[in-house]
């Protein structure tokens, strides 16, 4: 935020100068941890956004199925919580995952709840101008990412925050007490697979929508 010298009022920046933006981009991408691979389904979109002068990515996830042990059903997953299973792909061997879950329940602590979750794709990327950010936000919401938003930070930092809404979250054990049958757990895992397939299709539509906006901008 800058101050208007003629009115002594604070005004928000609506864009970043191109040279300054490109320097920010170089710094951020230069610090990226290359040892952490990008989820395969997100690679085309990430590479496209980072190839454009007006955008660059800061984080992304293609979506995931996770089974985790945590203190309570409403608690958020924190660092250090035991992950029983996690996949960013469609689960091929559902029976193997059921066996992994059974072992996890046997080893679960009495005060812990095991939850199966599906979370859709998320991505954060920086844009040079506020107007471009608004156009991209409209585009990503139109293709189904309705929970997305646009964050406005200091010094003209405009972040398009993409978040899928195609989620699932079900408790399957409390302590060592199994709350569902293997048959129902299989149903949940297959439901996660269906959601992942839909999620991958949404990522493809997302890429096309973002590309249409950026190519129209020239």
């Amino acid at each position: 935020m800058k101050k208007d010298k003629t009115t002594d009022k604070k005004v928000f920046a609506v864009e970043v100068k191109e040279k300054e933006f490109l320097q920010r981009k170089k710094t951020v991408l230069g610090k990226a941890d290359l040892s952490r691979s990008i989820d395969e389904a997100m690679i085309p979109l990430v590479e496209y956004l980072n190839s454009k002068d007006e955008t660059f990515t800061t984080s992304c996830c293609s979506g995931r199925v996770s089974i985790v042990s945590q203190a309570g059903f409403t608690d958020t997953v924190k660092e250090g919580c035991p992950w029983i299973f996690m996949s960013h792909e469609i689960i091929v061997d559902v029976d193997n995952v059921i066996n992994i879950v059974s072992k996890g329940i046997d080893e679960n602590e009495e005060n812990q709840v095991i939850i199966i979750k599906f979370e859709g794709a998320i991505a954060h990327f920086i844009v040079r101008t506020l107007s471009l950010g608004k156009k991209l936000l409209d585009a990503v919401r139109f293709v189904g990412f309705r929970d997305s938003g646009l964050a406005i930070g200091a010094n003209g930092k405009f972040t398009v925050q993409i978040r899928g809404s195609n989620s699932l979250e079900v408790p399957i054990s409390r302590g060592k007490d199994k709350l569902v049958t293997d048959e129902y757990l299989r149903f949940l895992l297959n439901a996660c697979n269906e959601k992942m397939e839909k999620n991958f299709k949404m990522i493809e539509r997302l890429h096309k929508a973002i590309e249409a906006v950026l190519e129209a901008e020239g």
Side-chain angles (χ1 to χ4, degrees):
M1 185 160 37
K2 298 179 181 179
K3 185 174 287 188
D4 187 333
K5 295 180 181 179
T6 61
T7 62
D8 202 35
K9 292 182 179 180
K10 293 180 179 179
V11 294
F12 286 97
V14 294
E15 66 176 47
V16 180
K17 292 181 180 180
E18 185 175 359
K19 184 177 180 181
E20 180 183 349
F21 183 80
L22 291 175
Q23 183 56 50
R24 288 185 190 178
K25 177 176 181 176
K26 181 179 179 181
T27 300
V28 171
L29 295 183
K31 292 180 179 178
D33 184 359
L34 299 179
S35 66
R36 299 181 64 183
S37 61
I38 301 170
D39 296 341
E40 185 176 352
M42 294 295 285
I43 290 175
L45 177 59
V46 169
E47 290 183 343
Y48 177 76
L49 286 167
N50 289 338
S51 73
K52 310 302 288 186
D53 289 340
E54 302 290 302
T55 57
F56 64 90
T57 58
T58 56
S59 62
C60 68
C61 173
S62 65
R64 68 184 180 188
V65 180
S66 61
I67 302 173
V68 63
S69 177
Q70 59 188 56
F73 179 57
T74 59
D75 289 0
T76 56
V77 177
K78 299 176 182 178
E79 188 174 351
C81 285
W83 290 91
I84 295 169
F85 175 82
M86 184 171 67
S87 175
H88 295 275
E89 303 290 340
I90 292 171
I91 300 169
V92 177
D93 192 344
V94 171
D95 288 335
N96 182 54
V97 177
I98 292 174
N99 290 334
I100 292 171
V101 170
S102 295
K103 183 179 179 181
I105 292 173
D106 290 340
E107 297 173 352
N108 201 31
E109 296 181 8
E110 291 302 322
N111 63 338
Q112 296 288 102
V113 176
I114 294 179
I115 297 173
I116 180 171
K117 299 182 181 183
F118 175 83
E119 298 163 286
I122 60 172
H124 290 179
F125 61 91
I126 310 296
V127 297
R128 191 175 72 83
T129 70
L130 179 58
S131 61
L132 177 59
K134 290 179 177 178
K135 290 177 183 178
L136 288 167
L137 178 59
D138 288 342
V140 301
R141 283 179 170 171
F142 183 76
V143 296
F145 289 84
R146 296 184 298 274
D147 293 339
S148 301
L150 176 60
I152 302 174
N155 301 317
K157 183 180 179 182
F158 311 118
T159 308
V160 179
Q161 300 174 331
I162 297 171
R163 179 174 294 276
S165 56
N166 183 28
S167 61
L168 178 149
E169 185 169 348
V170 180
I172 56 177
S173 85
R174 181 178 54 212
K176 300 183 187 302
D177 296 329
K178 198 169 185 179
L179 302 177
V180 301
T181 64
D182 284 352
E183 182 180 358
Y184 187 66
L185 180 55
R186 181 176 287 104
F187 169 80
L188 290 174
L189 291 168
N190 285 329
C192 288
N193 276 343
E194 291 179 11
K195 285 180 174 292
M196 188 67 84
E197 288 179 359
K198 180 180 178 181
N199 179 67
F200 287 159
K201 291 177 182 177
M202 288 184 68
I203 291 173
E204 292 176 1
R205 293 201 297 270
L206 174 68
H207 188 165
K208 291 177 181 177
I210 289 175
E211 188 171 348
V213 172
L214 291 178
E215 296 307 316
E217 289 287 304

